[in-house]
Amino acid sequence: MGERYLSIEGIARRFPSAKGETTVFEDLWFSMNKGEFACIIGHSGCGKTTVLNILSGLEAPDDGAVIVDGRAIEGPSLDRAVIFQSHALLPWKSVLGNVAYAVASRHRDWPRDRVRAHAERFVELVGLKGSEHKKPAELSGGMKQRVGIARALSIEPKMLLMDEPFSALDALTRGTLQDEVRRICLESGQTVFMITHDVDEAIYLADRIVLMTNGPQACIAEIVENPLPRERRRLDLHKQTDFYAVRNHLIDFLVERSRTFKNSLPAGYDRRRPSVVRPSLAGEPVLSATRRSVV
């Protein structure tokens, strides 16, 4: 992982309600380095998707700012690609056509042959070689999601944003795609921000896991550093010494602390510098030295 790429600085989001106004979250601070894979976890209503929409430029925060690669986000950009829960494919285009459409949008000056060759490379990368000419109606759910992944990666974004992209898939397909995404991201050094409700998925994929308290008025409770080695295999997860330590820590937060955290803030809690913890079987989660800042 390299230098800092993303900086979320005190953002808030509010919406009109019957009682006047509802604050979904406020004063969120978080940063990421290039090549880092971060997952955000929290119960429905805490604003996870809203945060992702702000990162993508589809929404603007009511307070604060988001800095990406030295510039404040002011709208959508092809430097940030989004993979949605649904595949969102163009039904009249083939697998190759959907990917090529994205490539042509990114590289408007490229000739058709170059666009096609570039698109074919990413279709093959996600394991769809031989299915290039099939329409979305001819594909399984997992294959459609592979097309969505290929389309996002084909524009070679600086940052990949994923909104529970595997949630609608069966367990076997979900695991296969998780393996593919992890392999691709490790090989390419891709920076990824992902929403998930799946604790095991977060542990397998992420370098750091952001824990959000329940909404409304949600906040970041803490940042969990994944204690597992970055080079890891799904089949070996349960053999890793600290796998159950981090899993139990996350589940404890989701079941209990996510709803009580705001009413019993830990001593010294600072929204600008949420605690960074590294769960370990040795005992209590290890607090990173000097409560390392995330801004």
Side-chain angles (χ1 to χ4, degrees):
M1 289 180 285
E3 70 275 14
R4 181 173 297 180
Y5 177 69
L6 166 73
S7 182
I8 295 173
E9 303 182 355
I11 63 172
R13 193 71 175 95
R14 306 180 186 93
F15 294 97
S17 68
K19 297 181 179 180
E21 188 176 68
T22 296
T23 299
V24 181
F25 56 76
E26 59 184 352
D27 207 16
L28 298 190
W29 295 80
F30 177 65
S31 68
M32 290 178 63
N33 291 336
K34 276 191 174 180
E36 185 175 16
F37 198 127
C39 281
I40 184 168
I41 285 183
H43 289 286
S44 296
C46 71
K48 301 184 300 300
T49 296
T50 302
V51 171
L52 187 138
N53 287 342
I54 291 173
L55 296 186
S56 69
L58 297 176
E59 291 188 40
D62 293 296
D63 294 324
V66 178
I67 311 299
V68 176
D69 200 21
R71 296 183 179 182
I73 291 178
E74 296 180 346
S77 168
L78 289 174
D79 285 340
R80 302 182 303 278
V82 183
I83 300 176
F84 301 98
Q85 292 183 40
S86 61
H87 49 81
L89 302 179
L90 300 176
W92 60 89
K93 286 186 174 290
S94 66
V95 168
L96 185 61
N98 269 277
V99 179
Y101 183 81
V103 176
S105 299
R106 175 72 167 183
H107 303 286
R108 296 181 180 274
D109 58 333
W110 281 12
R112 182 175 299 181
D113 288 348
R114 186 176 180 184
V115 168
R116 181 185 178 89
H118 188 83
E120 286 176 340
R121 179 162 69 89
F122 284 89
V123 168
E124 183 174 359
L125 185 67
V126 298
L128 288 177
K129 185 175 177 60
S131 299
E132 297 93 335
H133 303 296
K134 291 183 177 180
K135 299 290 180 62
E138 302 174 83
L139 305 176
S140 67
M143 293 174 75
K144 291 175 184 176
Q145 204 65 338
R146 284 176 184 265
V147 181
I149 294 169
R151 180 179 57 188
L153 293 173
S154 70
I155 65 173
E156 298 178 303
K158 293 181 178 178
M159 187 169 194
L160 189 61
L161 305 171
M162 299 198 292
D163 186 3
E164 297 189 76
F166 314 125
S167 60
L169 304 175
D170 64 89
L172 183 59
T173 303
R174 182 166 62 246
T176 300
L177 286 184
Q178 287 169 356
D179 291 341
E180 288 297 308
V181 166
R182 179 160 179 78
R183 175 185 62 80
I184 293 168
C185 290
L186 284 175
E187 291 177 356
S188 64
Q190 181 70 62
T191 306
V192 184
F193 184 89
M194 177 177 173
I195 296 173
T196 183
H197 282 100
D198 188 325
V199 167
D200 290 338
E201 179 173 79
I203 296 172
Y204 179 51
L205 294 175
D207 301 305
R208 289 195 297 159
I209 303 165
V210 182
L211 303 184
M212 291 278 290
T213 64
N214 290 5
Q217 296 182 324
C219 63
I220 294 177
E222 64 188 28
I223 313 296
V224 176
E225 285 188 343
N226 195 334
L228 304 185
R230 199 155 193 255
E231 297 290 340
R232 50 186 177 265
R233 296 194 316 149
R234 177 186 306 280
L235 294 176
D236 296 332
L237 281 184
H238 69 286
K239 302 175 185 177
Q240 297 291 336
T241 304
D242 288 325
F243 170 73
Y244 292 103
V246 66
R247 191 176 193 276
N248 291 342
H249 185 84
L250 297 180
I251 290 176
D252 174 70
F253 176 82
L254 291 172
V255 171
E256 182 65 27
R257 291 192 299 124
S258 61
R259 61 184 177 84
T260 62
F261 186 89
K262 290 181 292 185
N263 297 325
S264 55
L265 295 177
Y269 174 74
D270 184 350
R271 285 177 180 263
R272 293 189 61 152
R273 296 173 177 82
S275 297
V276 179
V277 301
R278 190 179 180 88
S280 170
L281 281 180
E284 293 296 319
V286 178
L287 188 67
S288 292
T290 65
R291 294 177 60 88
R292 185 172 62 195
S293 170
V294 296
V295 299

